[in-house]
Amino acid sequence: MAKEKLAETAVNKIEKVFGEHKTYRRAHSRGTGYKAVFTANGEGKNWTVARHLREGTTKAVVRFSHSSPDPFWTDNLSPVKGMAVQFQLPDGQVMNSVGVTSPIFFSRTPEVFTEMLDIAKSFKKGKPRLRDLIKLFIKYPESRAAIRIIRKMQSPASFATGLYHSIHAFYLVNGTGQRIPVKFQWHPEAGVESLNPVEAASVKKGDFEKELEERVIRGETAFRLIAVIGDTDDPVDDPTKDWAEDRKKVELGRIVLTEKTDEAEGLLYDPTILAEGVECTDDPILHFRNPAYAISYMRREGEKQKES
Ligand code: HEM
C-alpha cells in the first residue's frame, strides 16, 4: 500500500480506537504551547553547518503534550509526554524537533504500527491486558522492549521535569559534507522527576498545563539540547532499538520558555522538516510520520474552519 494511503488507514484506525475528536490532533491531542528562545553554546560548530545549532539565538515555539489521542483522558492516563520544538530561523527556514519521554518506539514499520492499532482497541486505561500483551509479544518480538518500558512508565512530575527523546536517528552534516548519526534529547534543567503511582492517581485533567504556566511565571524553565553521537554499527533506521548508554553526548545549547502562546496549537510539527545541516535517516517510521501528521493537520484545521 502506498505510504499516503496507509497513513490515512492508520489515522482512521486511531479515530476508531480513541474516538474522533474534531479540531484536535489525532495523537497527542491535548497540549500547551510556549514561545521560547534557543541559545547555541558554540559546540555545534564542530558537528554541523546548521546555523541555529552553531551560534547565536533562535526563536522557537514549543508544545508539550499528553500522548493520548483522546483529549478527555486525565493527565495520568498518558504517562508518556511529548515535547515538540519548532525552531524558526531568521531566513524563514524551520526545523522541528519532536520528542517523547520514552527512548524507543513500539513498532519497527508503518505496517506493524497500523496492525497493532487493532489490538490497542482492547486496551484498558491505555495499558494492554496480559492476554493482549502475550499476543503482541509473540507476533512482534521487536516491540517487546518498548511495550515493557511504556507499561512500567511513570509520568514525569511536570512537563518541565521530563527527559524527551527524538527516538529516531538524524544526521548532522558538517562542513566537509560528512553525515554524523545522532539522536536528540531535551534534558530538563529542573532535573528529571517522576510521579509515583499514588501521586499519579491524584492528578486531574489539566493539572500539568496549569503547573507549567505557574512555573514559567515563577522563574526560568529551560531544557538542554543534547546530541547523542552514534557509533558506526548503531542502527539508524530502527526506532525499536536504543543505542548503548555510553555513547558520546554533546550539549548544543539551551532553550528557555518565555511566555504561553496559542500559536503552537495551529502548527504542524512534522519531524521530517529540518533545516540545512540536519538530515533524515532512512527510518521508515520517521518518513511515515510525514503523511500521517499532514492528514491529522488537514482534518483538525478543516474542522476549526467549519466551526468558525
Ligand atoms: C507510526 C508512527 C507514528 C504515527 C502514525 C504518529 C501519529 C501522530 C499524529 C497523527 C499526530 C498528530 C499530528 C498533528 O495533528 O499535528 C502525532 C503527534 C505527535 N507525535 Fe506521533 N506518530 C508516530 C510516531 C511518533 C514517534 C516515534 C514519536 C516520538 C518522538 C511521536 C511523537 C509525537 C508527538 C510529541 C506529537 C505531538 C506533536 C505536537 O505537539 O504537535 N510520534 N503523532
Side-chain angles (χ1 to χ4, degrees):
M1 203 188 285
K3 200 169 65 170
E4 285 72 19
K5 188 81 203 120
L6 187 63
E8 199 177 345
T9 305
V11 175
N12 289 344
K13 279 196 188 184
I14 294 175
E15 289 181 352
K16 250 201 183 132
V17 175
F18 297 94
E20 190 191 353
H21 302 286
K22 289 198 189 295
T23 74
Y24 286 94
R25 282 164 168 76
R26 272 30 181 193
H28 290 257
S29 53
R30 186 154 52 85
T32 182
Y34 283 82
K35 289 187 181 172
V37 177
F38 177 77
T39 306
N41 62 14
E43 176 62 28
K45 287 183 182 165
N46 300 317
W47 300 93
T48 176
V49 294
R51 253 201 339 201
H52 64 300
L53 301 180
R54 289 169 66 88
E55 60 193 338
T57 60
T58 305
K59 280 194 208 161
V61 179
V62 183
R63 181 174 182 268
F64 294 92
S65 57
H66 308 282
S67 52
S68 174
D70 183 342
F72 303 103
W73 281 20
T74 56
D75 301 7
N76 62 329
L77 285 179
S78 288
V80 177
K81 305 296 179 197
M83 176 177 171
V85 178
Q86 182 170 97
F87 295 97
Q88 300 177 334
L89 281 62
D91 62 3
Q93 290 191 79
V94 299
M95 170 170 150
N96 296 320
S97 167
V98 185
V100 287
T101 48
S102 168
I104 49 177
F105 195 55
F106 52 84
S107 43
R108 169 85 179 82
T109 65
E111 288 76 12
V112 170
F113 173 82
T114 310
E115 252 181 70
M116 284 173 96
L117 285 168
D118 289 327
I119 301 177
K121 270 187 213 152
S122 62
F123 286 9
K124 290 277 173 263
K125 293 186 174 174
K127 294 199 177 180
R129 290 176 303 194
L130 193 63
R131 201 179 59 207
D132 302 320
L133 203 64
I134 292 166
K135 247 197 256 173
L136 284 172
F137 278 10
I138 293 171
K139 195 151 186 213
Y140 311 109
E142 75 281 6
S143 304
R144 286 179 197 173
I147 293 172
R148 279 202 193 101
I149 289 175
I150 295 167
R151 243 187 135 225
K152 287 201 185 130
M153 179 163 282
Q154 297 302 336
S155 164
S158 155
F159 281 133
T161 65
L163 194 166
Y164 298 87
H165 305 260
S166 68
I167 295 189
H168 307 289
F170 293 86
Y171 293 116
L172 291 180
V173 185
N174 69 17
T176 64
Q178 192 194 354
R179 300 200 305 172
I180 301 133
V182 297
K183 289 191 181 191
F184 293 112
Q185 297 177 344
W186 288 101
H187 286 229
E189 284 192 358
V192 177
E193 205 189 319
S194 303
L195 297 177
N196 65 41
V198 178
E199 291 165 334
S202 67
V203 175
K204 295 184 296 302
K205 175 173 169 275
D207 280 357
F208 268 64
E209 287 88 323
K210 224 183 300 155
E211 191 274 345
L212 186 61
E213 194 174 354
E214 286 163 9
R215 186 187 281 262
V216 172
I217 291 169
R218 258 195 335 264
E220 211 168 68
T221 303
F223 292 81
R224 308 251 165 177
L225 178 61
I226 307 293
V228 181
I229 312 292
D231 260 13
T232 356
D233 293 338
D234 287 334
V236 291
D237 60 356
D238 186 350
T240 65
K241 299 223 165 49
D242 202 0
W243 294 346
E245 192 41 48
D246 64 358
R247 292 291 174 265
K248 186 182 172 73
K249 292 189 175 73
V250 175
E251 188 176 316
L252 299 174
R254 70 194 283 264
I255 196 162
V256 179
L257 309 182
T258 52
E259 59 176 302
K260 202 168 171 329
T261 176
D262 291 335
E263 189 188 342
E265 282 315 298
L267 293 182
L268 171 56
Y269 289 93
D270 175 342
T272 65
I273 305 295
L274 303 166
E276 193 191 340
V278 187
E279 290 179 4
C280 288
T281 53
D282 287 337
D283 182 336
I285 290 282
L286 172 61
H287 291 279
F288 187 59
R289 290 173 68 185
N290 168 278
Y293 286 39
I295 291 164
S296 171
Y297 177 80
M298 283 186 297
R299 288 188 188 176
R300 63 179 160 93
E301 292 308 308
E303 290 155 0
K304 280 182 203 167
Q305 272 180 10
K306 265 193 206 153
E307 278 192 5
S308 65

Short mmCIF file of all heavy atoms in Angstrom, two decimals, residues 2-56:
data_model
loop_
_atom_site.label_atom_id
_atom_site.label_comp_id
_atom_site.label_asym_id
_atom_site.label_seq_id
_atom_site.Cartn_x
_atom_site.Cartn_y
_atom_site.Cartn_z
N ALA A 2 0.50 2.25 -0.79
CA ALA A 2 1.30 3.47 -0.82
C ALA A 2 1.32 4.10 0.58
O ALA A 2 0.37 3.95 1.34
CB ALA A 2 0.70 4.44 -1.83
N LYS A 3 2.45 4.82 0.84
CA LYS A 3 2.64 5.40 2.18
C LYS A 3 1.46 6.30 2.59
O LYS A 3 0.98 6.23 3.71
CB LYS A 3 3.95 6.20 2.16
CG LYS A 3 4.54 6.45 3.51
CD LYS A 3 5.96 6.99 3.42
CE LYS A 3 6.02 8.35 2.77
NZ LYS A 3 7.32 9.02 2.86
N GLU A 4 0.98 7.12 1.64
CA GLU A 4 -0.11 8.08 1.97
C GLU A 4 -1.40 7.34 2.32
O GLU A 4 -2.11 7.70 3.24
CB GLU A 4 -0.37 9.03 0.78
CG GLU A 4 0.68 10.11 0.61
CD GLU A 4 2.00 9.58 0.08
OE1 GLU A 4 2.03 8.46 -0.48
OE2 GLU A 4 3.03 10.28 0.25
N LYS A 5 -1.68 6.28 1.56
CA LYS A 5 -2.92 5.52 1.76
C LYS A 5 -2.85 4.81 3.13
O LYS A 5 -3.82 4.80 3.90
CB LYS A 5 -3.06 4.48 0.62
CG LYS A 5 -4.36 3.77 0.58
CD LYS A 5 -5.46 4.61 -0.09
CE LYS A 5 -6.82 4.15 0.37
NZ LYS A 5 -7.64 5.09 1.04
N LEU A 6 -1.68 4.24 3.41
CA LEU A 6 -1.52 3.54 4.69
C LEU A 6 -1.62 4.53 5.86
O LEU A 6 -2.20 4.23 6.91
CB LEU A 6 -0.16 2.81 4.73
CG LEU A 6 0.07 1.91 5.94
CD1 LEU A 6 -0.94 0.76 5.99
CD2 LEU A 6 1.49 1.33 5.93
N ALA A 7 -1.08 5.75 5.65
CA ALA A 7 -1.16 6.77 6.70
C ALA A 7 -2.62 7.14 6.98
O ALA A 7 -3.02 7.33 8.13
CB ALA A 7 -0.36 8.00 6.29
N GLU A 8 -3.42 7.20 5.91
CA GLU A 8 -4.84 7.52 6.09
C GLU A 8 -5.53 6.39 6.86
O GLU A 8 -6.32 6.65 7.78
CB GLU A 8 -5.48 7.71 4.71
CG GLU A 8 -6.77 8.47 4.80
CD GLU A 8 -7.39 8.73 3.44
OE1 GLU A 8 -6.70 8.58 2.41
OE2 GLU A 8 -8.58 9.07 3.43
N THR A 9 -5.17 5.15 6.52
CA THR A 9 -5.75 3.99 7.23
C THR A 9 -5.37 4.07 8.71
O THR A 9 -6.20 3.85 9.60
CB THR A 9 -5.20 2.67 6.63
OG1 THR A 9 -5.46 2.69 5.24
CG2 THR A 9 -5.83 1.45 7.27
N ALA A 10 -4.10 4.41 8.97
CA ALA A 10 -3.63 4.47 10.37
C ALA A 10 -4.39 5.55 11.14
O ALA A 10 -4.86 5.31 12.26
CB ALA A 10 -2.12 4.74 10.40
N VAL A 11 -4.54 6.74 10.54
CA VAL A 11 -5.24 7.83 11.25
C VAL A 11 -6.72 7.46 11.44
O VAL A 11 -7.29 7.69 12.51
CB VAL A 11 -5.07 9.18 10.50
CG1 VAL A 11 -5.89 10.28 11.18
CG2 VAL A 11 -3.59 9.60 10.46
N ASN A 12 -7.32 6.82 10.44
CA ASN A 12 -8.72 6.37 10.60
C ASN A 12 -8.83 5.38 11.76
O ASN A 12 -9.79 5.42 12.55
CB ASN A 12 -9.23 5.70 9.32
CG ASN A 12 -9.44 6.71 8.21
OD1 ASN A 12 -9.49 7.92 8.45
ND2 ASN A 12 -9.54 6.24 6.98
N LYS A 13 -7.86 4.48 11.85
CA LYS A 13 -7.90 3.48 12.94
C LYS A 13 -7.72 4.14 14.30
O LYS A 13 -8.36 3.76 15.27
CB LYS A 13 -6.82 2.42 12.74
CG LYS A 13 -7.20 1.35 11.75
CD LYS A 13 -6.27 0.16 11.88
CE LYS A 13 -6.52 -0.83 10.76
NZ LYS A 13 -5.69 -2.04 10.93
N ILE A 14 -6.84 5.15 14.37
CA ILE A 14 -6.66 5.88 15.64
C ILE A 14 -8.01 6.46 16.05
O ILE A 14 -8.43 6.36 17.21
CB ILE A 14 -5.59 7.00 15.51
CG1 ILE A 14 -4.21 6.41 15.28
CG2 ILE A 14 -5.59 7.89 16.77
CD1 ILE A 14 -3.10 7.44 15.02
N GLU A 15 -8.72 7.04 15.08
CA GLU A 15 -10.04 7.64 15.40
C GLU A 15 -11.03 6.58 15.88
O GLU A 15 -11.83 6.81 16.77
CB GLU A 15 -10.61 8.36 14.17
CG GLU A 15 -9.85 9.64 13.84
CD GLU A 15 -10.44 10.36 12.63
OE1 GLU A 15 -11.32 9.80 11.96
OE2 GLU A 15 -10.00 11.49 12.36
N LYS A 16 -10.95 5.39 15.27
CA LYS A 16 -11.87 4.31 15.66
C LYS A 16 -11.59 3.85 17.09
O LYS A 16 -12.50 3.60 17.87
CB LYS A 16 -11.67 3.12 14.72
CG LYS A 16 -12.84 2.91 13.80
CD LYS A 16 -12.85 1.49 13.29
CE LYS A 16 -14.00 1.34 12.32
NZ LYS A 16 -13.57 0.69 11.10
N VAL A 17 -10.30 3.74 17.42
CA VAL A 17 -9.93 3.21 18.74
C VAL A 17 -10.16 4.25 19.84
O VAL A 17 -10.68 3.94 20.91
CB VAL A 17 -8.44 2.76 18.74
CG1 VAL A 17 -8.00 2.32 20.13
CG2 VAL A 17 -8.22 1.63 17.74
N PHE A 18 -9.75 5.49 19.58
CA PHE A 18 -9.76 6.52 20.64
C PHE A 18 -10.87 7.56 20.48
O PHE A 18 -10.97 8.48 21.29
CB PHE A 18 -8.40 7.24 20.68
CG PHE A 18 -7.26 6.33 21.03
CD1 PHE A 18 -6.50 5.72 20.05
CD2 PHE A 18 -6.93 6.07 22.37
CE1 PHE A 18 -5.44 4.87 20.36
CE2 PHE A 18 -5.88 5.23 22.69
CZ PHE A 18 -5.14 4.63 21.69
N GLY A 19 -11.66 7.43 19.42
CA GLY A 19 -12.74 8.40 19.18
C GLY A 19 -12.28 9.48 18.21
O GLY A 19 -11.08 9.76 18.08
N GLU A 20 -13.28 10.07 17.52
CA GLU A 20 -12.95 11.13 16.56
C GLU A 20 -13.16 12.46 17.29
O GLU A 20 -14.30 12.85 17.56
CB GLU A 20 -13.89 11.03 15.35
CG GLU A 20 -13.49 11.91 14.22
CD GLU A 20 -14.57 11.98 13.15
OE1 GLU A 20 -15.57 11.25 13.24
OE2 GLU A 20 -14.42 12.83 12.25
N HIS A 21 -12.07 13.10 17.64
CA HIS A 21 -12.16 14.33 18.43
C HIS A 21 -11.89 15.51 17.51
O HIS A 21 -10.72 15.85 17.25
CB HIS A 21 -11.20 14.27 19.62
CG HIS A 21 -11.49 13.10 20.50
ND1 HIS A 21 -12.57 13.06 21.34
CD2 HIS A 21 -10.87 11.90 20.62
CE1 HIS A 21 -12.60 11.89 21.95
NE2 HIS A 21 -11.59 11.17 21.54
N LYS A 22 -12.98 16.08 17.03
CA LYS A 22 -12.87 17.12 16.00
C LYS A 22 -12.10 18.32 16.53
O LYS A 22 -12.25 18.67 17.70
CB LYS A 22 -14.25 17.53 15.52
CG LYS A 22 -14.94 16.45 14.69
CD LYS A 22 -16.08 17.02 13.89
CE LYS A 22 -16.94 15.97 13.22
NZ LYS A 22 -16.28 15.19 12.20
N THR A 23 -11.31 18.93 15.68
CA THR A 23 -10.44 20.09 15.89
C THR A 23 -9.16 19.76 16.69
O THR A 23 -8.29 20.61 16.83
CB THR A 23 -11.14 21.32 16.58
OG1 THR A 23 -11.33 21.03 17.97
CG2 THR A 23 -12.47 21.66 15.92
N TYR A 24 -9.07 18.54 17.21
CA TYR A 24 -7.86 18.16 17.96
C TYR A 24 -6.90 17.37 17.07
O TYR A 24 -7.31 16.70 16.12
CB TYR A 24 -8.23 17.26 19.14
CG TYR A 24 -8.89 17.98 20.28
CD1 TYR A 24 -10.28 18.03 20.38
CD2 TYR A 24 -8.13 18.59 21.28
CE1 TYR A 24 -10.90 18.69 21.44
CE2 TYR A 24 -8.74 19.24 22.34
CZ TYR A 24 -10.12 19.29 22.42
OH TYR A 24 -10.73 19.93 23.48
N ARG A 25 -5.62 17.37 17.44
CA ARG A 25 -4.65 16.48 16.82
C ARG A 25 -5.10 15.05 17.04
O ARG A 25 -5.64 14.75 18.11
CB ARG A 25 -3.26 16.67 17.48
CG ARG A 25 -2.52 17.90 17.03
CD ARG A 25 -1.40 18.20 18.01
NE ARG A 25 -0.44 19.19 17.52
CZ ARG A 25 -0.66 20.49 17.47
NH1 ARG A 25 -1.81 21.00 17.87
NH2 ARG A 25 0.29 21.31 17.02
N ARG A 26 -4.83 14.18 16.05
CA ARG A 26 -5.30 12.79 16.18
C ARG A 26 -4.36 11.96 17.06
O ARG A 26 -4.62 10.77 17.31
CB ARG A 26 -5.45 12.17 14.80
CG ARG A 26 -6.82 12.37 14.15
CD ARG A 26 -7.59 13.62 14.49
NE ARG A 26 -8.89 13.64 13.80
CZ ARG A 26 -9.67 14.68 13.71
NH1 ARG A 26 -9.31 15.83 14.26
NH2 ARG A 26 -10.83 14.61 13.10
N ALA A 27 -3.32 12.51 17.55
CA ALA A 27 -2.49 11.91 18.61
C ALA A 27 -1.91 13.09 19.38
O ALA A 27 -1.84 14.19 18.84
CB ALA A 27 -1.38 11.05 18.04
N HIS A 28 -1.53 12.85 20.62
CA HIS A 28 -1.04 13.96 21.46
C HIS A 28 -2.02 15.13 21.37
O HIS A 28 -1.64 16.28 21.11
CB HIS A 28 0.36 14.39 21.00
CG HIS A 28 1.42 13.38 21.30
ND1 HIS A 28 2.30 13.50 22.33
CD2 HIS A 28 1.70 12.18 20.72
CE1 HIS A 28 3.11 12.45 22.36
NE2 HIS A 28 2.76 11.63 21.38
N SER A 29 -3.30 14.80 21.58
CA SER A 29 -4.36 15.77 21.27
C SER A 29 -4.35 16.99 22.18
O SER A 29 -4.61 18.09 21.73
CB SER A 29 -5.72 15.07 21.36
OG SER A 29 -5.84 14.44 22.61
N ARG A 30 -4.08 16.78 23.46
CA ARG A 30 -4.14 17.93 24.37
C ARG A 30 -2.73 18.37 24.73
O ARG A 30 -1.88 17.55 25.08
CB ARG A 30 -4.92 17.57 25.66
CG ARG A 30 -5.15 18.76 26.58
CD ARG A 30 -6.39 18.56 27.44
NE ARG A 30 -6.39 17.30 28.14
CZ ARG A 30 -5.80 17.07 29.30
NH1 ARG A 30 -5.15 18.04 29.90
NH2 ARG A 30 -5.86 15.89 29.87
N GLY A 31 -2.51 19.68 24.59
CA GLY A 31 -1.17 20.18 24.88
C GLY A 31 -1.20 21.65 25.22
O GLY A 31 -2.27 22.26 25.30
N THR A 32 -0.02 22.21 25.42
CA THR A 32 0.08 23.61 25.80
C THR A 32 1.35 24.20 25.17
O THR A 32 2.39 23.53 25.12
CB THR A 32 0.08 23.74 27.35
OG1 THR A 32 0.14 25.11 27.69
CG2 THR A 32 1.23 23.02 28.02
N GLY A 33 1.21 25.45 24.66
CA GLY A 33 2.31 26.00 23.88
C GLY A 33 3.04 27.16 24.55
O GLY A 33 2.44 27.92 25.33
N TYR A 34 4.33 27.30 24.24
CA TYR A 34 5.17 28.37 24.79
C TYR A 34 6.08 28.95 23.73
O TYR A 34 6.64 28.20 22.92
CB TYR A 34 6.02 27.84 25.96
CG TYR A 34 5.18 27.70 27.20
CD1 TYR A 34 4.39 26.57 27.38
CD2 TYR A 34 5.09 28.73 28.12
CE1 TYR A 34 3.54 26.46 28.47
CE2 TYR A 34 4.24 28.62 29.22
CZ TYR A 34 3.47 27.49 29.39
OH TYR A 34 2.63 27.40 30.44
N LYS A 35 6.22 30.27 23.75
CA LYS A 35 7.28 30.88 22.98
C LYS A 35 8.59 30.58 23.70
O LYS A 35 8.59 30.46 24.94
CB LYS A 35 7.09 32.40 22.90
CG LYS A 35 5.94 32.77 22.02
CD LYS A 35 5.87 34.28 21.84
CE LYS A 35 4.68 34.58 20.97
NZ LYS A 35 4.39 35.99 20.85
N ALA A 36 9.67 30.48 22.96
CA ALA A 36 10.93 30.11 23.59
C ALA A 36 12.10 30.70 22.81
O ALA A 36 11.94 31.11 21.66
CB ALA A 36 11.05 28.59 23.65
N VAL A 37 13.27 30.70 23.46
CA VAL A 37 14.49 31.15 22.78
C VAL A 37 15.56 30.09 22.97
O VAL A 37 15.82 29.66 24.11
CB VAL A 37 14.98 32.50 23.34
CG1 VAL A 37 16.29 32.91 22.68
CG2 VAL A 37 13.93 33.59 23.12
N PHE A 38 16.15 29.65 21.84
CA PHE A 38 17.24 28.68 21.91
C PHE A 38 18.56 29.42 21.75
O PHE A 38 18.71 30.23 20.83
CB PHE A 38 17.09 27.63 20.80
CG PHE A 38 18.23 26.63 20.77
CD1 PHE A 38 18.28 25.61 21.70
CD2 PHE A 38 19.25 26.75 19.83
CE1 PHE A 38 19.34 24.68 21.69
CE2 PHE A 38 20.31 25.84 19.82
CZ PHE A 38 20.35 24.81 20.75
N THR A 39 19.50 29.14 22.63
CA THR A 39 20.83 29.75 22.52
C THR A 39 21.87 28.64 22.33
O THR A 39 22.02 27.76 23.19
CB THR A 39 21.17 30.56 23.79
OG1 THR A 39 20.11 31.51 24.01
CG2 THR A 39 22.48 31.31 23.65
N ALA A 40 22.54 28.68 21.18
CA ALA A 40 23.58 27.68 20.90
C ALA A 40 24.81 28.00 21.74
O ALA A 40 25.13 29.17 21.96
CB ALA A 40 23.94 27.71 19.42
N ASN A 41 25.51 26.95 22.20
CA ASN A 41 26.68 27.22 23.06
C ASN A 41 28.00 27.21 22.28
O ASN A 41 29.07 27.34 22.87
CB ASN A 41 26.73 26.22 24.22
CG ASN A 41 26.88 24.79 23.74
OD1 ASN A 41 27.21 24.55 22.57
ND2 ASN A 41 26.65 23.82 24.62
N GLY A 42 27.94 27.01 20.96
CA GLY A 42 29.16 27.05 20.14
C GLY A 42 29.69 25.66 19.80
O GLY A 42 30.40 25.49 18.80
N GLU A 43 29.36 24.65 20.59
CA GLU A 43 29.85 23.29 20.35
C GLU A 43 29.39 22.75 18.98
O GLU A 43 30.09 21.97 18.33
CB GLU A 43 29.34 22.39 21.50
CG GLU A 43 29.66 20.92 21.39
CD GLU A 43 31.15 20.60 21.40
OE1 GLU A 43 31.93 21.39 21.99
OE2 GLU A 43 31.53 19.58 20.79
N GLY A 44 28.19 23.21 18.55
CA GLY A 44 27.64 22.74 17.28
C GLY A 44 28.56 23.02 16.09
O GLY A 44 28.48 22.34 15.07
N LYS A 45 29.47 24.01 16.24
CA LYS A 45 30.39 24.35 15.13
C LYS A 45 31.26 23.15 14.76
O LYS A 45 31.77 23.06 13.65
CB LYS A 45 31.29 25.51 15.54
CG LYS A 45 30.55 26.83 15.59
CD LYS A 45 31.50 27.96 15.92
CE LYS A 45 30.72 29.26 16.01
NZ LYS A 45 31.46 30.32 16.66
N ASN A 46 31.48 22.24 15.73
CA ASN A 46 32.31 21.06 15.47
C ASN A 46 31.54 19.93 14.75
O ASN A 46 32.14 18.93 14.38
CB ASN A 46 32.85 20.48 16.79
CG ASN A 46 33.70 21.50 17.51
OD1 ASN A 46 34.51 22.18 16.89
ND2 ASN A 46 33.51 21.63 18.82
N TRP A 47 30.23 20.10 14.63
CA TRP A 47 29.43 18.96 14.18
C TRP A 47 28.54 19.23 12.98
O TRP A 47 28.16 18.30 12.27
CB TRP A 47 28.54 18.46 15.34
CG TRP A 47 29.32 18.03 16.52
CD1 TRP A 47 29.67 18.80 17.61
CD2 TRP A 47 29.92 16.76 16.73
NE1 TRP A 47 30.43 18.06 18.49
CE2 TRP A 47 30.60 16.81 17.97
CE3 TRP A 47 29.95 15.56 16.00
CZ2 TRP A 47 31.29 15.71 18.49
CZ3 TRP A 47 30.62 14.47 16.52
CH2 TRP A 47 31.29 14.55 17.74
N THR A 48 28.12 20.48 12.78
CA THR A 48 27.11 20.73 11.75
C THR A 48 27.22 22.14 11.16
O THR A 48 27.69 23.05 11.84
CB THR A 48 25.68 20.53 12.33
OG1 THR A 48 24.70 20.87 11.32
CG2 THR A 48 25.40 21.40 13.55
N VAL A 49 26.71 22.25 9.93
CA VAL A 49 26.64 23.58 9.33
C VAL A 49 25.32 24.27 9.69
O VAL A 49 25.10 25.42 9.29
CB VAL A 49 26.82 23.54 7.79
CG1 VAL A 49 28.23 23.09 7.41
CG2 VAL A 49 25.76 22.65 7.11
N ALA A 50 24.43 23.57 10.39
CA ALA A 50 23.13 24.18 10.75
C ALA A 50 23.38 25.41 11.62
O ALA A 50 23.90 25.29 12.74
CB ALA A 50 22.25 23.17 11.49
N ARG A 51 22.97 26.58 11.11
CA ARG A 51 23.33 27.84 11.76
C ARG A 51 22.80 27.97 13.18
O ARG A 51 23.49 28.41 14.09
CB ARG A 51 22.83 29.01 10.92
CG ARG A 51 23.97 29.70 10.22
CD ARG A 51 23.65 31.06 9.82
NE ARG A 51 22.18 31.22 9.74
CZ ARG A 51 21.60 32.17 9.04
NH1 ARG A 51 22.33 33.02 8.40
NH2 ARG A 51 20.29 32.30 9.01
N HIS A 52 21.53 27.54 13.36
CA HIS A 52 20.91 27.72 14.68
C HIS A 52 21.56 26.82 15.74
O HIS A 52 21.45 27.10 16.93
CB HIS A 52 19.41 27.47 14.62
CG HIS A 52 19.01 26.08 14.24
ND1 HIS A 52 19.38 25.50 13.06
CD2 HIS A 52 18.28 25.15 14.90
CE1 HIS A 52 18.89 24.28 13.00
NE2 HIS A 52 18.22 24.03 14.11
N LEU A 53 22.25 25.74 15.29
CA LEU A 53 22.90 24.87 16.27
C LEU A 53 24.37 25.25 16.48
O LEU A 53 25.06 24.67 17.32
CB LEU A 53 22.80 23.40 15.81
CG LEU A 53 21.37 22.87 15.60
CD1 LEU A 53 21.38 21.41 15.15
CD2 LEU A 53 20.54 23.01 16.89
N ARG A 54 24.87 26.22 15.71
CA ARG A 54 26.28 26.62 15.80
C ARG A 54 26.49 27.83 16.71
O ARG A 54 27.39 27.85 17.54
CB ARG A 54 26.82 26.99 14.41
CG ARG A 54 26.99 25.80 13.49
CD ARG A 54 27.27 26.25 12.07
NE ARG A 54 28.54 26.94 11.93
CZ ARG A 54 29.70 26.33 11.69
NH1 ARG A 54 29.73 25.01 11.57
NH2 ARG A 54 30.81 27.01 11.56
N GLU A 55 25.61 28.83 16.54
CA GLU A 55 25.85 30.06 17.31
C GLU A 55 24.59 30.91 17.40
O GLU A 55 23.64 30.72 16.65
CB GLU A 55 26.96 30.90 16.65
CG GLU A 55 26.61 31.31 15.24
CD GLU A 55 27.80 31.85 14.47
OE1 GLU A 55 28.76 32.31 15.11
OE2 GLU A 55 27.74 31.83 13.24
N GLY A 56 24.60 31.84 18.33
CA GLY A 56 23.53 32.83 18.42
C GLY A 56 22.24 32.29 19.03
O GLY A 56 22.19 31.19 19.57
#
